[in-house]
Amino acid sequence: MLDQIRQSLDSIAAKHRTRVLRAVEMRSDGRLLHDGRELLDLSSNDYLGLSQHPLLVKRSGEYLRRFGAGAGASRLITGTSAQHLAIEDKVAAFKRSEAALLFATGWQANAAVIPALAKAAKGTAIFADRLVHNSVHAGCRAAQAEVHFFDHNDYDHLHALLQDHREAPARLIITESVFSMDGDRADLPRLNTLAAQHDAMLYVDEAHATGVLGAGGAGLTADHPGAQIVMGTFSKALGGFGAYVACPQLVRDYLVNMCAGLIFTTAPPPAVLGAMDAALELVPGMDAERAHLAALGEQLRKGLQQLGYDTLDSTTQVIPLVVGPEAEAMALGEHLLDNGIAALPIRPPTVPKGTSRIRFALRSTLGAPDVEQVLAAVASWRKA
Ligand SMILES: Cc1ncc(COP(=O)(O)O)c(C=O)c1O
């Protein structure tokens, strides 16, 4: 087997797709330390800078000291504490849902909840946007269901697929509200209408919208309610770790009984819950930070477009600079590093072939001069 593993790695290297792990240290001011160098950080998803916020650090420490380092068991054994239930109530209030359920990570939530939902009705048809995250693909693969991918944000295509499969016993539509690699948005009003028309359940992954968009930072589903299942993470704008599904009580009860990724895994530990608690307290009051982040996004997008680059349909804090070939994206990433900027290249299979890019992820702790620095570095690459 080791021979095949080596061959597999060789073939990844031949396509210039080798990935390596780098050690970095996050700083509180939108910078990070890498190899002894301080770099401007435009790669992390810590959109509000909460990972270093004193309240998250303090409450996480308090929970750790009061309740210990681990949860000790899965939720259905002895792993459910009063703190888990309290956070779930707070998530439900934040998302205006009837109930919520915590998961270890966002990846695990999507990979586990989708097959569990599909199990409720044999022959469920799933309709997912082609650009959904790897974890949704994993969930779809694990589901014993027919899976149909519609072209990205193409709701005529989705409508046609729903028509073609109207005989299926149940239908589940899956999208992200903000797409992780393109930074564009789903049209939730249109999806709500389609779901209602075709008697489908709508599942929205709000990983990149939670904390950043929607009233009080509660995501785009807060402004356009209708989705029955809303998944979100604590690992991005909420600065910590873990994920949730906000849903009707009926669905929560069902998942507690049927979702293997909840039942057969240890419950999230106290320190993680402490950070969640603090983030849920802070985020609704961070409108000024959200407005600043939106302004930084406008500045960067406009600047990149003026330099002649394609930023796709981004309207958020995630801004792709598409260069196309993988080698070119790698070269631009290196050039940015040389200019003190960590904005790492994203290549296939994470994004479609021929759309390798730098994915800029902005953060409210950055300022307009930081964005100017990025634009100057990009401009000098063209000239190099
Ligand atoms: C859209 C989307 N969903 C889910 C996840 C997984 O979240 P987590 O990092 O908490 O596992 C990510 C993050 O990588 C994501 O971008």
Side-chain angles (χ1 to χ4, degrees), residues 105-107 110 133 135 176 180 205 207-208 231 233 235-236 242:
T105 70
W107 199 95
N110 284 333
H133 189 253
S135 50
E176 291 174 28
S180 61
D205 175 334
H208 295 275
M231 172 273 179
T233 63
S235 53
K236 302 186 191 320

Side-chain angles (χ1 to χ4, degrees), residues 173-338:
I173 301 172
I174 309 177
T175 187
E176 291 174 28
S177 55
V178 169
F179 284 84
S180 61
M181 294 297 138
D182 288 26
D184 57 351
R185 308 173 193 218
D187 182 345
L188 291 182
R190 179 96 194 266
L191 282 166
N192 286 334
T193 304
L194 277 173
Q197 257 174 14
H198 293 273
D199 188 24
M201 178 177 260
L202 178 61
Y203 182 115
V204 179
D205 175 334
E206 294 246 60
H208 295 275
T210 307
V212 176
L213 295 168
L220 291 179
T221 53
D223 294 356
H224 306 290
Q228 280 142 315
I229 316 281
V230 180
M231 172 273 179
T233 63
F234 286 93
S235 53
K236 302 186 191 320
L238 270 54
F241 189 69
Y244 61 83
V245 167
C247 57
Q249 183 65 42
L250 178 79
V251 174
R252 185 183 188 276
D253 293 345
Y254 173 79
L255 293 174
V256 166
N257 284 277
M258 294 297 286
C259 184
L262 175 93
I263 298 169
F264 298 103
T265 192
T266 300
V272 163
L273 298 180
M276 289 175 174
D277 190 57
L280 287 168
E281 191 174 311
L282 290 170
V283 160
M286 297 184 79
D287 282 345
E289 285 81 354
R290 282 186 277 276
H292 177 61
L293 188 56
L296 292 178
E298 278 300 305
Q299 185 190 351
L300 182 56
R301 248 185 321 271
K302 211 183 259 173
L304 291 174
Q305 286 161 6
Q306 277 166 0
L307 289 170
Y309 287 107
D310 185 1
T311 56
L312 301 177
D313 291 325
S314 162
T315 56
T316 66
Q317 77 284 3
V318 174
I319 301 173
L321 183 174
V322 177
V323 291
E326 293 165 46
E328 212 165 318
M330 298 293 284
L332 177 52
E334 282 303 318
H335 174 80
L336 292 173
L337 270 183
D338 290 345

Side-chain angles (χ1 to χ4, degrees), residues 14-28:
K15 291 183 213 145
H16 306 284
R17 288 185 188 171
T18 303
R19 299 161 191 249
V20 291
L21 299 174
R22 311 163 203 252
V24 303
E25 192 181 310
M26 301 273 283
R27 291 288 164 98
S28 57

